[in-house]
Structure formats: C-alpha cells, structure tokens
Amino acid sequence: MRVYHLLSSQNALSDISLKRLRISRYGDLNDPFELFAGNLGDKRYRQAVRSWKDEFNKTKGLMCFSKKWENPVLWSHYGAKHRGICLGFDINDSFAIPIEYSDQRLPVEFENDDPSKGIKEDYVRRLVCTKFEHWRYEDEVRLIVGLDEGTVEDGSYFYPFSQELELREVVLGPLCQIPIEAVRSLVASIYQGVVVRKARLAFKWFTVVPDERFENGRSREDA
C-alpha cells in the first residue's frame, strides 16, 4: 500500500538522511479523543479507560499516513503550510490500520462486562482505529508499533526505514523553498528508484498536483 506522511522540510530531510521516521505518542497527538472513542457516559467506565490509555501509551506509539497527498488541507495542517515535504512509503498491507470515521461514540466493551477486568482485547483495535467523522479528510492509515522497536534520540522514538516502511516518493510542497535538484541529489546518494517531484496548486480545482515543469527529472521553467 502506498501511503504519505507530511512534515516540515527540515524534519523530512533529516528523516531522508537518517532513514527513519518519528514515532508519535498518543499523548502528543492533536486529537484529544485519541483512544477515547468509547462512550464514557457511565462514570464507572472512565477511570478504567483512562488507566488503560495510560498503560497503552507507555509501550505503544504510532506512525500516521494518508492515502493521498493532494488534499490542500493536509498540507496546511501537517506540511508546514505548504512549505514542507511529503514522504511516500510502501507499507505492508497486513500491518496497515485504516482509520474508520464515526459521528457516534462506541459502546465500551470490557472482559465479562466488568471494568475491573480491563478492556476486551479485540475492542482495542476498534479504539485505535476510530476517529470523529470530521477527520475523514485525512483518509488516514496507521502503523501501531512498540516503542521498543524504535531508537531513542533526545527523548523521541524513531522507526527505521525497511521493507515494511520503504521510501518511494518525495514531494516538495507548493511553497517549499528548497531547490528540487538539491533534494534529488540527496535522495539519489542514499536510495535507488525514489521519485522526487515538486507540487503546485491546481489551476481549476481545490487540490495540489504535480508541477509538470519538474517531472521526469526536468527543472526548466519552459518545460
């Protein structure tokens, strides 16, 4: 499956050079409902779910992707206001978790319907893959990984590029100021077969598209 991860140009170039991607922590994500997709109207459930989330966050992290990179809102929110870079990866479908979007909270499911016995194991997957309907524009796919699978740098965890996370594309945002030839040179010195392209705003629709002037290795204004 081809998926895309948008970030600032500085972080993107660092990840390209060091061949790794930052693992996000649930407590740092921009959606406060992460892992709280369950209906917590019954106060007996709240502490049990909070305790489970705290324990889950101690050992698990995630990497977030979108199925497409053309949405301008994604570039605004995650691509440094169109100044950043998008990294395209091939990931193993069996590890990919597509997000499901809902306008309703999920009924909470405990082992033997007893909060003291913890959340059902098969219910955990529903919690990690359910978000509010209004996030649908992200068209998100996730990889859930153990923190012990990554390396630690200055308190952050990073997951190495591999056959399970293979870099295949690099897309410079419409307002990215880094010369595309510099990025192509960097990528070519480390990888084989990775496509580097420049994006632009579409002329007729609200979308981001490849800039034809820079396709196929070209970078001429009159291309």
Side-chain angles (χ1 to χ4, degrees):
M1 177 187 296
R2 181 66 55 87
V3 294
Y4 299 92
H5 183 80
L6 287 86
L7 62 173
S8 71
S9 57
Q10 178 180 358
N11 288 340
L13 294 178
S14 176
D15 288 344
I16 290 170
S17 299
L18 299 176
K19 304 176 73 171
R20 84 289 195 268
L21 196 64
R22 185 174 179 270
I23 300 173
S24 296
R25 305 298 305 281
Y26 281 97
D28 298 331
L29 298 178
N30 57 6
D31 181 5
F33 284 97
E34 290 285 354
L35 302 182
F36 280 154
N39 187 328
L40 303 179
D42 189 327
K43 64 181 181 181
R44 296 175 301 169
Y45 298 168
R46 295 170 197 164
Q47 185 56 50
V49 174
R50 289 192 186 105
S51 296
W52 167 79
K53 178 178 179 178
D54 290 342
E55 290 302 313
F56 193 82
N57 188 51
K58 289 179 182 177
T59 60
K60 300 292 185 181
L62 69 161
M63 291 171 285
C64 303
F65 308 91
S66 178
K67 294 179 182 178
K68 299 179 180 179
W69 60 263
E70 295 88 349
N71 190 323
V73 182
L74 287 175
W75 284 97
S76 294
H77 289 175
Y78 303 108
K81 300 178 181 179
H82 293 254
R83 296 177 176 83
I85 292 176
C86 175
L87 304 181
F89 296 93
D90 282 345
I91 62 176
N92 192 314
D93 289 9
S94 62
F95 296 121
I97 300 178
I99 292 299
E100 299 177 5
Y101 301 95
S102 174
D103 58 2
Q104 300 293 326
R105 303 282 285 273
L106 306 174
V108 182
E109 299 178 12
F110 296 103
E111 295 291 346
N112 299 324
D113 295 322
D114 184 352
S116 67
K117 296 184 182 296
I119 293 173
K120 284 186 175 181
E121 184 174 347
D122 58 355
Y123 180 69
V124 169
R125 182 180 175 88
R126 296 186 65 196
L127 288 181
V128 302
C129 75
T130 300
K131 296 189 69 172
F132 179 42
E133 175 68 27
H134 285 205
W135 292 98
R136 185 178 292 275
Y137 78 94
E138 294 184 337
D139 204 4
E140 185 179 349
V141 174
R142 292 179 169 179
L143 292 180
I144 309 297
V145 297
L147 298 180
D148 58 355
E149 299 178 60
T151 58
V152 183
E153 299 176 26
D154 298 324
S156 294
Y157 293 83
F158 292 88
Y159 192 85
F161 293 176
S162 64
Q163 291 184 337
E164 286 74 36
L165 184 68
E166 186 176 7
L167 184 66
R168 302 302 299 159
E169 291 183 58
V170 177
V171 184
L172 279 63
L175 301 181
C176 182
Q177 297 298 308
I178 301 174
I180 190 170
E181 293 304 336
V183 179
R184 281 178 170 154
S185 177
L186 171 65
V187 171
S189 70
I190 305 173
Y191 307 89
Q192 291 184 342
V194 175
V195 175
V196 180
R197 55 169 43 106
K198 173 74 173 176
R200 65 168 175 83
L201 301 183
F203 299 130
K204 296 181 179 180
W205 301 278
F206 290 111
T207 188
V208 179
V209 297
D211 190 330
E212 300 86 350
R213 298 173 298 174
F214 300 93
E215 290 295 284
N216 301 317
R218 299 177 299 175
S219 57
R220 305 192 313 273
E221 286 297 321
D222 59 348

